[in-house]
Amino acid sequence: MSNLKHTPGKWEPMCAKLVGAMWVIGNNKVIAHMGANDEDANFPNKQEAFANAKLIASAPELLEALIQLKASMDETINWFGGLKNLNEAERIRYKVICNAIKKTTE
């Protein structure tokens, strides 16, 4: 997919445990920075913040998986003669996948 605009490469979560700061690094750039505070309810605690950083870091791989799944579903849809010939659950799944890809690429 040529319209991907995000920072390419593998993203990694990083953690500075003493200060409660988390980063997501990709292609030698800071993709995201977040704070953590185990004593302030307005912030995630350190464990939750690192889990959030891991989720953000996995975004490019998740997007790629959705793109590949959509390509596979496109072949199935063509084989069945169009989206209208799939059952309702399959149409809903396809639309969810398409919307998720669209959200990240527009």
Side-chain angles (χ1 to χ4, degrees):
M1 184 169 272
S2 62
N3 57 344
L4 299 179
K5 298 175 182 121
H6 67 271
T7 303
K10 186 167 176 62
W11 294 5
E12 295 288 337
M14 309 281 292
C15 175
K17 291 182 181 181
L18 294 177
V19 295
M22 312 294 162
W23 296 269
V24 175
I25 307 295
N27 201 18
N28 295 316
K29 297 178 183 176
V30 175
I31 305 299
H33 174 255
M34 62 207 83
N37 189 323
D38 290 339
E39 298 170 11
D40 186 339
N42 293 312
F43 291 89
N45 63 41
K46 291 174 189 169
Q47 182 180 2
E48 183 181 358
F50 192 62
N52 292 342
K54 290 191 316 186
L55 180 61
I56 292 167
S58 69
E61 293 170 74
L62 294 170
L63 176 58
E64 182 57 34
L66 284 174
I67 290 169
Q68 290 180 19
L69 179 58
K70 181 186 176 297
S72 176
M73 290 184 79
D74 286 341
E75 289 179 18
T76 301
I77 289 166
N78 287 335
W79 191 82
F80 275 99
L83 193 58
K84 66 184 182 315
N85 294 322
L86 299 180
N87 68 45
E88 182 66 18
E90 290 166 333
R91 286 194 300 270
I92 290 170
R93 276 193 291 275
Y94 184 76
K95 289 177 184 176
V96 167
I97 290 166
C98 290
N99 287 337
I101 293 170
K102 185 177 177 181
K103 253 191 208 182
T104 63
T105 58
E106 289 189 346

